[in-house]
Amino acid sequence: MADPTNDPEISFTQIDVDVDIQEILLAASQHDIPTLRRLVRTQSALPNAANVKDPETGYSPLHSAIAACEPEEVEEQANGVNGAHEDEHAKLLKSGVETVKFLLQEGAIWNDLDNNDETPGCIARRIKAPELYELVVDAGVRAEMLLSRLEGYEELSDGDDEDEEEDAENVQAEVEDEAAPELVDASEANVAEITSTGERTGLANPEVSNPGYLNSSLNITNERILDADQNGVMMSWESSIMKNSAQKLLPRPGMKVLNVGHGMGIVDGFFQEQSPASHHIIEAHPDVVAEMKRRGWDSKPGVVIHEGRWQDIMPGLVGAGETFDAIYYDTFAESYNDFREFFSEQVIGLLEQEGKWGFFNGMGADRQISYDVYQKVAEMDLFEAGFDIDWEDIPVPKLGGEWEGVRRAYWVVDNYRLPLCRFMD
Ligand SMILES: C[S@@+](CC[C@H](N)C(=O)[O-])C[C@H]1O[C@@H](n2cnc3c(N)ncnc32)[C@H](O)[C@@H]1O
C-alpha cells in the first residue's frame, strides 16, 4: 500500500484540513461569529466543524471560546484603569456568551474533553465565568434529557411496531437537531460518563451492568465493599451522608421505612437508631444478603428482609398494600433510567401521602459540571413525576487513601447535595 504521507494530494488535503481547523479555533477564540458561521456552515471538508480539535491542546471551538474569556492578571492600579479593564472584560464575556450560544446551536459537544481532562464547562468554572458555565450546564441538561428519552424508546421498542419506530426516529432527529451530535454515538466515553447514576456505577466503566454485578462475587470488609473488578460498591467514608439522610427521612421513632440496597448496612444502622415501627430492606446480591444475616439483621427489631431486585419486589409490596413514611434508594450499577423508573413507577405506589423519600445523590459526582447537570435533570424528571425536592449541601471529607485498590474514584466534588423528596402539594 502506498504511504499516504508521500502522496502529494493527500498531504495537501491534510494541510488544508489543518488550516481550516486552526481558522475555526481562532475565530472561536476571537468570538468572531460571522467568520465562524461561514466556516462551520460551508466547510465541506469538515463535516463536524463545530467539534474540530486542536491536536496539541485538544481544544474544541467551545473550549477556545470560553478559555479566551479568562481575565488577565491585573496589578493594583488606579481606579480609572481598573474600571476600564472591567468594562473590557464585561465586553469580552458578552461576546463569549454569544459565541458559546452560537456554537451550541451548531452542535458543539458540551462535555468534550481537552488534553488537560477539562470540558468547556470545567474551564468556565475554573476561570470563574458563571454566565458561561450555566450555558454549558443547560446544554448538558438538554442533551442528557434527550438521550435518556432516546434510550427509553430503544428499550421499549421491539422493532416490529411501525409507529414505535417512527417515534424513535423522530426523537433521534430531535436529538441530532438539538445541538448534541455526541448523543448520536452514546458509546463515546465522554457521553457515557454521565448517562448513568454516576456514583458507584458503570459510568466511566460502562461494562459494569447490574445483572453482571449481581452475578459477581464481592469482597466485603468493615471499610468497603468491592466487586470482582475492584469497583467500589460502598465505602465507609459515606457514613456522614448516610447519617444525615436517615435522620432527615426518619425524624422520630415509630415510623415505617423501606431501604433499597443494604450494602454495608450503614444507612440501615442509622434507621435502626430512630426506632422505626417497621424497617423493610430490599437487597439483591446474595453475598450481601449472607453477610447481613451473619450480622444478625434478620432478627433486629421491625426488620423485614426482601431478597431480590427492587424491580421484582416492589410491585408485590404495592399489591400487599404496604406503605411507608420514608423510602431510601441506593443501589449499584443501575442506569439513570432505572432510577427514573424507581421513582416514577414504584415510589408513587408505596409512599404515604405525607411521606418523604431520598436517594444517594452520586450522579456525575466525578466532575462538578456533571454533578450540576444531573441535579437539574433529576429535578425536572422528579417534577414531572409529581415530586418536590429540597437540596442541602453537606461537605464531604477530603478523600485520598480511601481510593487505594479501588478501580476508580467515583467521588470528586467537594459537597454532597442531599435530596429530600415529597409529593407536590
Ligand atoms: C451502595 S450499596 C448501598 C449502601 C447502603 N446505603 C449503606 O448505607 O451501606 C448498594 C447496594 O444495592 C444493592 N443492589 C444493587 N442493585 C440492586 C437492585 N436492583 N435491587 C436491590 N438491591 C440492589 C447492592 O447489592 C448493594 O448492596
Side-chain angles (χ1 to χ4, degrees):
M1 199 162 107
D3 176 1
T5 53
N6 291 333
D7 180 333
E9 242 174 67
I10 292 179
S11 302
F12 276 123
T13 311
Q14 187 55 46
I15 289 167
D16 286 348
V17 168
D18 290 347
V19 169
D20 289 344
I21 290 175
Q22 292 310 327
E23 218 183 328
I24 291 169
L25 293 170
L26 182 68
S29 70
Q30 293 176 335
H31 302 162
D32 180 351
I33 297 177
T35 304
L36 270 179
R37 184 176 289 116
R38 177 175 58 78
L39 293 169
V40 167
R41 294 194 179 160
T42 60
Q43 292 299 311
S44 52
L46 292 175
N48 195 5
N51 290 303
V52 294
K53 286 230 172 187
D54 179 58
E56 251 170 57
T57 60
Y59 270 19
S60 66
L62 208 48
H63 286 94
S64 303
I66 293 176
C69 294
E70 183 161 15
E72 280 170 27
E73 293 274 327
V74 270
E75 284 170 23
E76 278 299 307
Q77 289 175 21
N79 266 352
V81 181
N82 256 348
H85 188 272
E86 275 167 22
D87 283 355
E88 224 166 83
H89 188 60
K91 252 174 107 192
L92 184 64
L93 275 177
K94 196 161 171 266
S95 62
V97 163
E98 293 312 314
T99 309
V100 166
K101 281 185 185 166
F102 173 79
L103 288 168
L104 289 170
Q105 270 166 17
E106 294 300 317
I109 296 174
W110 74 274
N111 60 348
D112 211 353
L113 290 174
D114 65 14
N115 294 350
N116 201 24
D117 196 40
E118 285 189 311
T119 67
C122 300
I123 298 181
R125 186 164 174 269
R126 176 166 55 74
I127 67 171
K128 300 193 174 49
E131 49 282 83
L132 299 175
Y133 185 75
E134 286 307 319
L135 282 178
V136 185
V137 168
D138 288 346
V141 172
R142 286 195 298 275
E144 293 304 316
M145 299 265 324
L146 282 167
L147 180 60
S148 85
R149 297 302 185 271
L150 185 64
E151 280 175 354
Y153 270 107
E154 276 168 8
E155 275 164 26
L156 281 177
S157 174
D158 59 8
D160 295 338
D161 188 316
E162 276 180 22
D163 287 346
E164 263 179 14
E165 273 179 27
E166 210 175 286
D167 281 353
E169 274 165 23
N170 288 341
V171 175
Q172 175 81 38
E174 209 182 316
V175 165
E176 284 169 15
D177 287 349
E178 184 66 21
E182 83 273 32
L183 300 184
V184 178
D185 183 3
S187 63
E188 288 198 359
N190 59 354
V191 177
E193 202 174 309
I194 193 169
T195 55
S196 181
T197 53
E199 25 109 35
R200 314 163 265 241
T201 72
L203 278 193
N205 180 15
E207 70 268 22
V208 183
S209 71
N210 191 255
Y213 157 74
L214 294 175
N215 281 320
S216 75
S217 50
L218 303 181
N219 179 353
I220 304 179
T221 68
N222 285 337
E223 292 305 311
R224 61 197 193 185
I225 301 179
L226 298 184
D227 74 1
D229 295 319
Q230 266 68 52
N231 294 298
V233 177
M234 180 64 189
M235 298 174 80
S236 60
W237 65 261
E238 295 174 43
S239 291
S240 58
I241 293 172
M242 296 299 147
K243 183 176 186 178
N244 260 291
S245 306
Q247 291 178 346
K248 294 237 151 47
L249 287 168
L250 283 196
R252 55 175 194 279
M255 299 175 85
K256 298 176 288 176
V257 62
L258 167 64
N259 178 38
V260 179
H262 179 74
M264 293 170 67
I266 300 176
V267 83
D268 282 316
F270 290 120
F271 282 140
Q272 278 287 296
E273 283 181 10
Q274 304 300 96
S275 309
S278 79
H279 182 173
H280 288 235
I281 304 170
I282 302 179
E283 174 52 53
H285 200 296
D287 291 359
V288 177
V289 171
E291 179 65 11
M292 67 194 290
K293 287 186 178 162
R294 198 184 66 76
R295 294 186 182 204
W297 273 94
D298 46 350
S299 54
K300 290 202 191 251
V303 167
V304 181
I305 300 174
H306 303 274
E307 299 177 27
R309 301 174 73 226
W310 60 263
Q311 291 86 340
D312 302 323
I313 305 284
M314 287 176 88
L317 293 177
V318 176
E322 293 281 0
T323 54
F324 299 93
D325 301 302
I327 298 178
Y328 190 63
Y329 171 92
D330 181 11
T331 64
F332 179 74
E334 293 205 289
S335 70
Y336 179 74
N337 278 348
D338 292 322
F339 172 55
R340 194 151 56 96
E341 181 192 327
F342 175 81
F343 62 75
S344 53
E345 289 175 32
Q346 305 298 338
V347 172
I348 280 176
L350 289 171
L351 190 66
E352 286 281 356
Q353 200 52 39
E354 299 299 319
K356 296 208 166 80
W357 75 276
F359 55 93
F360 179 80
N361 181 21
M363 297 178 284
D366 49 1
R367 192 178 289 276
Q368 187 65 51
I369 188 159
S370 307
Y371 201 56
D372 293 339
V373 165
Y374 251 89
Q375 178 184 356
K376 287 196 174 185
V377 170
E379 219 165 41
M380 288 165 91
D381 281 331
L382 284 161
F383 187 77
E384 196 180 307
F387 294 106
D388 268 334
I389 181 160
D390 290 323
W391 304 96
E392 187 189 328
D393 268 13
I394 50 177
V396 168
K398 279 273 162 268
L399 303 172
E402 286 83 355
W403 301 119
E404 222 165 274
V406 182
R407 186 158 169 180
R408 69 181 263 275
Y410 57 74
W411 195 277
V412 171
V413 301
D414 293 336
N415 286 325
Y416 176 81
R417 249 173 237 152
L418 189 150
L420 203 56
C421 313
R422 60 182 187 287
F423 285 120
M424 274 174 197
D425 290 339

